[in-house]
Amino acid sequence: MKLKSKSAFIPYLLWIALFVIAPIGLILYYSMLDLNGEFTLVNYKNFFTSAYLTMTLTSFWYALIITFFTLLISYPTAYLLTKTKHKHLWLMLIIIPSWINLLLKTYAFIGIFGLYGPINAVMEILGFDPTQILFIDFSFVFVAVYIFIPFMIIPIFNALDKMNPSLIYASRDLGASPLTTFRRVIFPLTIEGVKSGIQVTFIPALSLFMITRLIAGNKVITLGTAIEQQFLVAQNWGMGSTIAVFLILIMFVIMVFTRKKKKGGRA
């Protein structure tokens, strides 16, 4: 039986080796090569220059803003969903847009925010002059938040749905106000769902590149944009791999700080 249980792990270990360890190993290898393919550590030295450090801080700032607004919208939405009659149906309707290809949704927003799009058409009806909504920070953050909302709602919804409702009733019976009940009971018991939502929002937001190109017009430069430019434009695979190495390290640190800790739920 022990031999069979060990053999069951072989496909899993092969998958990890081929699609996790090997790609990371290749990235580490290329990060130590210069444009001529010779071994060097100059790429790591260049990363700590002001240009790349500023870009890293900018990526963190935008990822933080995107995560904040996504959480601000998703938490009350998930809470209201748990109170509806057909909550799983409503949850499905929120998830369905995430099945649409990201590129198609991005191009849809280009049409919506364009000079001749519906938003400017409404503004003209209201007596305002058409304005360029694309290629600004607002449009970039708006589209990113829209894309990440379903991924933030799902873990928060699951945490709220599993929560023991008797704890809320007990809090109210003891005289706690709705705000106190939320702050001292509901939010602490659903913090693991919030952490999971932050993981699936903040980490991808650090490496966005398609939206920055099409919606922000390359006015927003993130780590993902820099990696794309180094690989496809500058053809500097070494520097692109170096940025990717630091991005992986940042993601790992975030996952460590937002890792799950099992707590009791519904009895």
Side-chain angles (χ1 to χ4, degrees), residues 221-263:
I221 303 296
T222 63
L223 291 172
T225 309
I227 293 171
E228 181 206 20
Q229 289 178 345
Q230 291 294 338
F231 273 97
L232 302 181
V233 180
Q235 294 293 308
N236 189 348
W237 288 28
M239 195 63 225
S241 297
T242 302
I243 300 170
V245 167
F246 282 100
L247 183 59
I248 292 170
L249 289 174
I250 292 167
M251 291 177 177
F252 178 76
V253 171
I254 293 169
M255 291 180 69
V256 168
F257 279 100
T258 58
R259 67 185 185 274
K260 276 191 173 185
K261 293 179 181 178
K262 287 278 185 178
K263 289 185 178 181

Side-chain angles (χ1 to χ4, degrees), residues 81-92 157 161:
L81 282 176
T82 59
K83 302 300 179 183
T84 56
K85 186 176 181 181
H86 303 289
K87 53 188 177 183
H88 290 99
L89 174 62
W90 287 108
L91 180 64
M92 179 65 71
F157 174 86
D161 197 42

Side-chain angles (χ1 to χ4, degrees), residues 77-251:
T77 304
Y79 183 79
L80 291 173
L81 282 176
T82 59
K83 302 300 179 183
T84 56
K85 186 176 181 181
H86 303 289
K87 53 188 177 183
H88 290 99
L89 174 62
W90 287 108
L91 180 64
M92 179 65 71
L93 293 175
I94 291 174
I95 295 172
I96 284 175
S98 66
W99 298 352
I100 301 172
N101 184 273
L102 177 59
L103 185 61
L104 292 177
K105 288 190 285 189
T106 305
Y107 275 112
F109 274 106
I110 290 175
I112 292 170
F113 288 148
L115 283 174
Y116 303 101
I119 293 181
N120 273 308
V122 172
M123 291 179 67
E124 282 191 276
I125 293 172
L126 296 175
F128 297 98
D129 294 329
T131 183
Q132 181 60 270
I133 308 174
L134 283 173
F135 315 131
I136 58 174
D137 291 357
F138 168 78
S139 58
F140 167 66
V141 173
F142 184 93
V143 174
V145 169
Y146 166 80
I147 288 169
F148 287 124
I149 278 176
F151 303 103
M152 178 73 82
I153 285 178
I154 292 171
I156 296 175
F157 174 86
N158 290 332
L160 286 165
D161 197 42
K162 292 176 182 177
M163 189 174 59
N164 193 337
S166 62
L167 298 173
I168 300 174
Y169 302 146
S171 175
R172 292 173 181 171
D173 290 341
L174 292 171
S177 65
L179 181 61
T180 303
T181 300
F182 173 78
R183 184 170 56 87
R184 301 294 295 272
V185 180
I186 298 175
F187 189 77
L189 290 175
T190 57
I191 191 65
E192 299 305 328
V194 173
K195 287 181 178 180
S196 297
I198 290 172
Q199 279 186 3
V200 298
T201 302
F202 190 88
I203 292 175
L206 279 175
S207 56
L208 287 172
F209 68 92
M210 185 188 302
I211 298 175
T212 56
R213 269 195 183 280
L214 299 177
I215 301 295
N218 271 348
K219 291 183 179 179
V220 176
I221 303 296
T222 63
L223 291 172
T225 309
I227 293 171
E228 181 206 20
Q229 289 178 345
Q230 291 294 338
F231 273 97
L232 302 181
V233 180
Q235 294 293 308
N236 189 348
W237 288 28
M239 195 63 225
S241 297
T242 302
I243 300 170
V245 167
F246 282 100
L247 183 59
I248 292 170
L249 289 174
I250 292 167
M251 291 177 177

